[in-house]
Amino acid sequence: MAKVTLLTYTPQPEKAVAAAAKLCYSPASISDITEGLTEEKTASFVEMLAEIGHESPIEHASFTFGIEGVSRSFLAQITRHRIASYSVQSQRYVRETQFSYVVPPEIAARPEAKALYIKAMERDQKDYEALTEILKADHEKAFLAKGMEPKAAVRAAEKKAIEDARFVLPNACDTKMVVTMNARSLQNFFRHRCCNRAQWEIRDVAEQMLRLVLEAAPHLFKNAGPSCLSGPCPEGKMSCGKMQEVREKYRAIREAAGIEIPEKGEEGR
């Protein structure tokens, strides 16, 4: 299953956001912009931004995650979030020798389906290796014919071979990446990917990411999560129909992070 690590983030992220907000609403100069920003005043600034919907200052805090144990299918989904930076392990430069793969829970739960799935993965591995060797042999001959040194020819031939052999690899193939998003992009990401209707793999990663940033910047992300936490479900007739269950789930996540929860009935107003 996926594993998410918070690698680094803006030092004192909430203070950075509060300083930017302070500049917008006071005559403070850059030299004294952080003066007086106690923990209490910083929290007040951050919460005020959420209340009035002024989101641009929160872009000054960014968070970098290491994500591993996810599929190439996941990669196609997360990169739809365009205001972010991605560094992904390349199948063009890294040979997939005995590649790992993600097994969807619905398949893992059914022995017959799981057995068929594993056979498909094993077949893909064999086809990938066979294609690599066929292409590598031809490329090596061509490079040697051009006068390239033998060792260099072998390296160049393999690189060129796996560029094309990788096309046979499945969406299930395991990958890893480093992802950086600013806090505003993260909040948008959580609204979409923590939703029950998000695909299971990216929803799992989104929830792990949210738990991590809640520890790093609790005031900044105290209201983060699917859209239904603060209003009606935006999915209309496509709704999962479990809004109260979702709210209770995220209430528990926030409580676990030590965040003060409004009295019953105040959430979602």
Side-chain angles (χ1 to χ4, degrees):
M1 295 296 288
K3 179 183 177 183
V4 182
T5 305
L6 181 56
L7 297 174
T8 187
Y9 54 90
T10 301
Q12 297 182 288
E14 295 182 338
K15 192 170 184 178
V17 170
K22 182 180 177 181
L23 185 67
C24 294
Y25 296 104
S26 75
S29 65
I30 296 297
S31 60
D32 62 10
I33 196 172
T34 59
E35 287 184 11
L37 283 181
T38 61
E39 185 175 340
E40 182 178 320
K41 287 187 177 180
T42 293
S44 178
F45 262 115
V46 171
E47 291 173 5
M48 178 267 291
L49 293 174
E51 289 173 5
I52 65 176
H54 187 187
E55 297 182 331
S56 61
I58 71 175
E59 295 177 11
H60 294 290
S62 63
F63 299 78
T64 299
F65 304 88
I67 304 174
E68 54 191 323
V70 290
S71 68
R72 304 293 290 197
S73 178
F74 168 88
L75 173 61
Q77 292 187 75
I78 195 171
T79 50
R80 291 173 185 165
H81 294 270
R82 295 182 293 276
I83 304 178
S85 300
Y86 302 96
S87 297
V88 183
Q89 189 172 75
S90 175
Q91 289 181 334
R92 184 183 179 196
Y93 293 102
V94 180
R95 183 164 178 166
E96 294 284 6
T97 303
Q98 294 301 312
F99 68 83
S100 298
Y101 51 85
V102 174
V103 182
E106 291 293 330
I107 291 177
R110 295 166 172 79
E112 184 179 0
K114 184 178 179 180
L116 180 62
Y117 187 84
I118 291 173
K119 284 183 180 179
M121 296 300 106
E122 292 172 347
R123 185 166 58 248
D124 285 339
Q125 181 71 66
K126 290 177 181 178
D127 291 342
Y128 172 77
E129 295 294 347
L131 283 169
T132 297
E133 291 308 314
I134 291 169
L135 295 170
K136 181 180 175 181
D138 287 345
H139 293 322
E140 186 177 348
K141 289 177 184 177
F143 286 133
L144 289 171
K146 291 179 181 179
M148 188 177 287
E149 291 294 323
K151 287 185 179 179
V154 170
R155 288 194 300 269
E158 175 160 309
K159 176 185 174 298
K160 192 169 182 179
I162 64 175
E163 282 187 13
D164 293 329
R166 63 181 169 149
F167 278 75
V168 78
L169 293 171
N171 270 340
C173 195
D174 180 285
T175 192
K176 51 183 70 72
M177 65 195 72
V178 172
V179 178
T180 300
M181 293 186 187
N182 68 50
R184 188 179 190 181
S185 292
L186 273 172
Q187 290 189 356
N188 176 69
F189 177 74
F190 295 142
R191 280 194 291 272
H192 288 86
R193 302 304 185 171
C194 289
C195 173
N196 267 1
R197 294 200 65 247
Q199 188 261 356
W200 64 268
E201 189 178 22
I202 198 168
R203 186 173 67 247
D204 171 53
V205 169
E207 289 178 4
Q208 290 188 53
M209 291 168 67
L210 177 56
R211 291 175 190 272
L212 290 168
V213 296
L214 277 171
E215 294 180 10
H219 297 100
L220 195 53
F221 293 101
K222 66 180 294 185
N223 297 314
S227 298
C228 65
L229 295 187
S230 56
C233 174
E235 298 292 329
K237 64 181 180 181
M238 300 295 286
S239 172
C240 72
K242 299 178 180 179
M243 187 167 69
Q244 190 56 42
E245 181 182 313
V246 171
R247 287 182 174 182
E248 288 301 320
K249 174 182 177 179
Y250 281 87
R251 183 184 183 89
I253 289 174
R254 284 177 281 171
E255 285 179 337
I259 295 173
E260 184 178 344
I261 306 298
E263 291 298 321
K264 190 173 182 180
E266 292 183 7
E267 280 187 294
R269 288 186 178 180

